[in-house]
Amino acid sequence: MMGLPMRPRLPLALGLLALGLVAGGCGAVESLKDPETATEAQAAVVEDPQVVETAAVMAEEPPAETAVETAPVETATEETAADNAGAWREIDTGVQRFAGKLDAATQAVASCQTDAAAGEDFAACQGVAFEAIAAAGDELVAIVDGAAPRTGGDCRSALDALRAATSEMSADHRTAIDITDLTGLETAYAEIAADAGAYADAAMTAAGACAG
């Protein structure tokens, strides 16, 4: 985190002039109109031990102060980027596994339709597939929960969104298991389709924000 802005300081020449005017009052202003008198007045101000000491204090400013403040910020940024990339490698493995289980569940639902034509219970068959998707989503959420605390910045925000999208996907699939009427199923399918789109967008955003 950057430090607070430094309080601006007058240049040394302006600081000495200001001190001289305060010490001499209006008479000092009049005397500065004469070049010779001005030179003597300036010399007198500079030779004043108190003024010299004050000027020395004002002139002292650690040259490396800015570097000391900015260096930790650069280091923190580099460390955060490394943490983000490392966390994403773990999450990406979970994302790939989740994708495989989604594909398997999709094929299972297709098989359920074929089996239903032969007299099998389509609702029960689909329910098994939907529960498999919900469980796979729960696994991915657990992976995100384990890795996300090590991340920061846009990556952390993107992972929060990915977690929310995955959790919503799991919840809606579980809700759809017990729905048997056609109207309810149509609504559930629409919600599941929206969940899939939101999840895909969140996963792509997280990959871009975390992988670097």
Side-chain angles (χ1 to χ4, degrees), residues 51-76:
V51 173
V52 173
E53 182 180 355
T54 303
V57 172
M58 294 176 65
E60 289 180 359
E61 184 171 340
E65 185 173 356
T66 301
V68 171
E69 290 182 356
T70 57
V73 175
E74 295 175 357
T75 302

Side-chain angles (χ1 to χ4, degrees), residues 57-97:
V57 172
M58 294 176 65
E60 289 180 359
E61 184 171 340
E65 185 173 356
T66 301
V68 171
E69 290 182 356
T70 57
V73 175
E74 295 175 357
T75 302
T77 301
E78 292 173 359
E79 291 177 354
T80 299
D83 289 341
N84 290 349
W88 178 249
R89 283 193 292 270
E90 296 178 22
I91 295 170
D92 187 44
T93 299
V95 167
Q96 298 302 325
R97 186 182 304 119

Side-chain angles (χ1 to χ4, degrees), residues 101-112:
K101 292 185 177 182
L102 283 176
D103 183 62
T106 300
Q107 294 181 23
V109 172
S111 298
C112 290

Side-chain angles (χ1 to χ4, degrees), residues 10-207:
L10 289 172
L12 179 58
L14 292 179
L16 291 175
L17 178 60
L19 288 172
L21 292 176
V22 172
C26 297
V29 177
E30 293 297 327
S31 65
L32 289 176
K33 295 179 181 178
D34 183 352
E36 293 183 359
T37 305
T39 301
E40 294 174 357
Q42 182 177 10
V45 171
V46 174
E47 289 174 0
D48 186 349
Q50 182 177 356
V51 173
V52 173
E53 182 180 355
T54 303
V57 172
M58 294 176 65
E60 289 180 359
E61 184 171 340
E65 185 173 356
T66 301
V68 171
E69 290 182 356
T70 57
V73 175
E74 295 175 357
T75 302
T77 301
E78 292 173 359
E79 291 177 354
T80 299
D83 289 341
N84 290 349
W88 178 249
R89 283 193 292 270
E90 296 178 22
I91 295 170
D92 187 44
T93 299
V95 167
Q96 298 302 325
R97 186 182 304 119
F98 183 46
K101 292 185 177 182
L102 283 176
D103 183 62
T106 300
Q107 294 181 23
V109 172
S111 298
C112 290
Q113 294 173 345
T114 301
D115 295 341
E120 296 295 331
D121 187 343
F122 174 76
C125 182
Q126 178 179 258
V128 172
F130 280 3
E131 176 57 35
I133 293 174
D138 291 344
E139 291 176 6
L140 179 55
V141 167
I143 293 172
V144 173
D145 286 345
R150 303 197 305 271
T151 65
D154 292 340
C155 176
R156 180 60 183 271
S157 298
L159 291 180
D160 288 343
L162 176 61
R163 185 195 189 285
T166 307
S167 180
E168 185 71 15
M169 197 172 185
S170 293
D172 285 344
H173 275 83
R174 281 204 174 91
T175 299
I177 293 174
D178 298 325
I179 298 175
T180 56
D181 63 286
L182 293 179
T183 301
L185 283 175
E186 287 179 358
T187 301
Y189 291 158
E191 291 176 349
I192 287 172
D195 291 342
Y199 167 79
D201 290 343
M204 290 181 63
T205 299

